[in-house]
């Protein structure tokens, strides 16, 4: 497993892509979920009772940064199918959207624009934030292990 | 001609009945408020009673929704320190203004606080809502029955409270407060304005105590 992961990230292009995906996802999600504030001062904090949410965001960001470049590697270097790529993108999107609305500016904008439909959607994403993020992590984990398996087969890595 | 007259008569009678019915069912908003009360650029006339010393040099105006979990986080993590260091020491006071937009139970919960205020227990009721908040929006934790149960637990006169809540006496007050939030550029809850002697600063979100401390210390 480590050998396969190394194979992908030995290529600096994919390592760089992974770092960009991780940093942009974690910063965006932490801002949306109010762990980071930029105004009036830059400040970070983890309020009591929200530690698990912070852990889930970190896990989604790490897994997305692993799985998306690995699948891009398969597609570009091995001309493999794009099926697993959609799994990783789907997992990342579900994980990101869950809880993103809530009572912050995004939720307010969605409710103001779409009225009762927006309010229902916002309530759903807020109420099921934790289960949705756990589902996203499961999707990303499954995609990660199936990608490793197919890379082993396609590259004939001898373990 | 007679037929036309009869139809016209029916229409006129229907309109009169409709008008009488709408007037009699309108919530009677006969509460006394100081409509000139403002803090900085914000009209807080329809907001909560002032928590703390009304003559304190700084006023924190909080826009919040009782179903917002970030408001819950702020209430439990940041507000206790602000109470201890600024409100109880007379350096600041706080006004809560309702921005009830998250779900169908949000405006009702806000109305209930003013029904409690009629009996002098606004802040006790406000606190009981944030202490009882459940994580799911519109899950029923803030429906009419539960709101009445919170009032019962605070030993309020239930006949007065129920009449107030069921008649939606304060629905326009909540609409006015939510409009104040929009007019002042609040785009989510909780939203704050720290109004000092010379200026006011806006804070968006459930920010930590250090941010409030830094701003208020620079104003004193």
């Amino acid at each position: 497993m480590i050998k396969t992961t190394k194979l992908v990230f030995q290529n600096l292009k994919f390592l760089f892509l992974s770092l960009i995906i991780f940093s942009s996802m974690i910063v965006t999600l932490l801002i949306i979920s109010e762990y980071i504030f930029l105004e009036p001062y830059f400040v970070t904090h983890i309020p009591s009772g929200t530690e698990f949410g912070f852990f889930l965001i970190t896990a989604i960001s790490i897994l997305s940064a692993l799985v998306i470049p690995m699948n891009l590697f398969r597609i570009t270097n091995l001309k493999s199918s794009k099926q697993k790529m959609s799994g990783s993108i789907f997992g990342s999107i579900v994980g990101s959207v869950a809880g993103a609305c809530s009572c912050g500016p995004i939720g307010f904008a969605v409710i103001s624009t779409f009225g009762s439909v927006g309010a229902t959607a916002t309530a759903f994403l807020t109420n099921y934030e934790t289960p949705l993020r756990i589902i996203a992590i499961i999707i990303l984990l499954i995609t990660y292990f199936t990608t490793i398996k197919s890379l082993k087969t396609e590259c004939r890595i001898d373990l | 001609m007679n037929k036309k007259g009869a139809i016209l008569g029916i229409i006129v009678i229907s309109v009169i009945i409709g008008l009488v019915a709408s007037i009699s069912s309108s919530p009677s908003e006969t509460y006394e408020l100081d409509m000139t009360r403002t803090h900085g650029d914000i009209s807080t006339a329809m907001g909560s009673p002032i928590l703390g010393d009304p003559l304190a040099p700084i006023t924190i105006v909080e826009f919040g929704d009782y179903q917002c979990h970030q408001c819950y986080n702020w209430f439990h993590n940041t507000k206790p320190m602000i109470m201890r260091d600024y409100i109880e020491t007379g350096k600041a006071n706080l006004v809560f203004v309702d921005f009830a937009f998250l779900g169908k139970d949000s405006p009702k919960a806000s109305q209930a606080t003013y029904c409690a205020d009629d009996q002098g227990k606004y802040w006790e009721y406000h606190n009981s809502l944030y202490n009882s908040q459940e994580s799911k929006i519109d899950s029923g934790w803030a429906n009419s029955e539960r709101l009445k149960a919170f009032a019962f637990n605070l030993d309020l006169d239930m006949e007065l409270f129920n009449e107030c809540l069921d008649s939606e006496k304060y629905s326009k007050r909540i609409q006015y407060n939510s409009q104040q939030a929009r007019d002042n550029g609040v785009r989510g809850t909780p939203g704050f304005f720290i109004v000092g002697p010379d200026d006011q600063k806006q804070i968006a979100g459930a920010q930590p105590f250090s941010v409030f401390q830094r701003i208020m210390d620079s104003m004193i």
Side-chain angles (χ1 to χ4, degrees):
Chain A
M1 197 165 76
I2 295 168
K3 257 187 180 177
T4 319
T5 313
K6 264 187 181 174
L7 173 81
V8 176
F9 294 107
Q10 267 171 357
N11 185 330
L12 282 179
K13 197 170 71 180
F14 290 99
L15 182 67
F16 186 63
L17 178 68
S18 176
L19 287 172
I20 287 177
I21 291 171
F22 173 74
S23 48
S24 57
M25 267 193 84
I26 198 157
V27 169
T28 308
L29 290 178
L30 290 179
I31 289 172
I32 287 170
S33 298
E34 300 195 357
Y35 291 99
I36 295 177
F37 294 98
L38 304 175
E39 286 183 340
Y41 313 111
F42 176 82
V43 64
T44 61
H45 78 143
I46 303 174
S48 160
T50 64
E51 296 86 353
F52 187 58
F54 179 80
F55 166 76
L56 292 178
I57 286 172
T58 311
I60 287 168
S61 305
I62 291 171
L63 285 168
S64 299
L66 272 176
V67 172
I68 295 172
M70 284 173 88
N71 276 288
L72 279 174
F73 177 86
R74 282 178 61 249
I75 293 163
T76 52
N77 292 14
L78 306 169
K79 311 287 180 218
S80 301
S81 76
K82 293 175 184 173
Q83 202 181 345
K84 289 187 183 67
M85 185 69 195
S86 56
S88 59
I89 300 279
F90 180 70
S92 303
I93 290 171
V94 169
S96 306
V97 167
C101 290
S102 188
C103 35
I106 297 176
F108 175 74
V110 170
I111 293 171
S112 301
T113 311
F114 300 106
S116 58
V117 177
T120 308
T122 302
F124 177 80
L125 291 171
T126 307
N127 292 349
Y128 297 101
E129 176 182 345
T130 304
L132 283 171
R133 286 208 165 126
I134 291 170
I135 289 169
I137 287 171
I138 293 169
I139 292 170
L140 288 167
L141 277 173
I142 291 169
T143 316
Y144 176 69
F145 286 113
T146 54
T147 307
I148 293 272
K149 200 178 163 190
S150 66
L151 276 172
K152 272 184 201 167
T153 316
E154 289 162 29
C155 301
R156 291 193 189 85
I157 293 171
D158 200 10
L159 299 173
Chain B
M1 187 65 191
N2 279 346
K3 203 177 173 184
K4 276 186 183 173
I7 292 168
L8 195 67
I10 289 167
I11 291 170
V12 169
I13 290 166
S14 303
V15 168
I16 291 168
I17 290 170
L19 279 173
V20 170
S22 69
I23 290 165
S24 62
S25 66
S26 290
S28 54
E29 297 193 26
T30 52
Y31 40 88
E32 286 192 13
L33 290 168
D34 173 13
M35 286 307 292
T36 59
R37 192 179 82 176
T38 57
H39 288 99
D41 302 331
I42 309 147
S43 166
T44 57
M46 296 253 192
S48 74
I50 294 172
L51 179 67
D53 181 358
L55 300 173
I58 293 173
T59 295
I60 303 165
V61 181
E62 176 189 0
F63 286 95
D65 184 309
Y66 288 103
Q67 293 205 90
C68 164
H69 73 275
Q70 293 292 7
C71 301
Y72 172 93
N73 286 341
W74 188 84
F75 179 86
H76 287 280
N77 292 307
T78 306
K79 192 179 175 187
M81 287 181 271
I82 290 177
M83 286 294 294
R84 186 195 60 203
D85 291 358
Y86 291 91
I87 294 175
E88 285 166 9
T89 56
K91 292 177 187 170
N93 57 41
L94 187 141
V95 175
F96 185 88
V97 183
D98 315 271
F99 189 18
F101 74 98
L102 270 178
K104 65 177 171 58
D105 289 341
S106 295
K108 203 75 178 170
S110 290
Q111 288 171 38
T113 60
Y114 295 112
C115 292
D117 187 32
D118 285 347
Q119 298 182 48
K121 289 199 172 176
Y122 177 90
W123 288 107
E124 290 87 340
Y125 197 90
H126 171 96
N127 294 346
S128 74
L129 286 181
Y130 276 129
N131 282 322
S132 310
Q133 193 198 85
E134 290 175 12
S135 60
K136 289 183 179 168
I137 296 166
D138 287 345
S139 65
W141 78 267
N143 63 22
S144 286
E145 283 68 37
R146 291 291 299 277
L147 294 172
K148 288 171 185 174
F150 296 140
F152 180 79
N153 291 339
L154 289 173
D155 288 330
L156 295 180
D157 180 329
M158 290 311 295
E159 199 176 323
L160 283 175
F161 185 87
N162 292 350
E163 191 187 324
C164 170
L165 192 66
D166 293 338
S167 68
E168 303 209 326
K169 180 181 172 184
Y170 290 113
S171 65
K172 283 182 184 162
R173 185 170 180 170
I174 308 308
Q175 286 169 22
Y176 178 89
N177 285 342
S178 295
Q179 193 54 47
Q180 277 302 308
R182 290 186 182 91
D183 292 348
N184 285 284
V186 179
R187 297 284 175 266
T189 52
F192 301 91
F193 286 89
I194 311 292
V195 183
D198 303 316
D199 61 343
Q200 66 178 49
K201 286 216 165 76
Q202 188 171 1
I203 300 175
Q207 301 215 19
F209 175 67
S210 60
V211 173
F212 288 84
Q213 189 179 33
R214 202 165 153 184
I215 291 175
M216 287 195 282
D217 285 351
S218 72
M219 286 177 169
I220 292 172

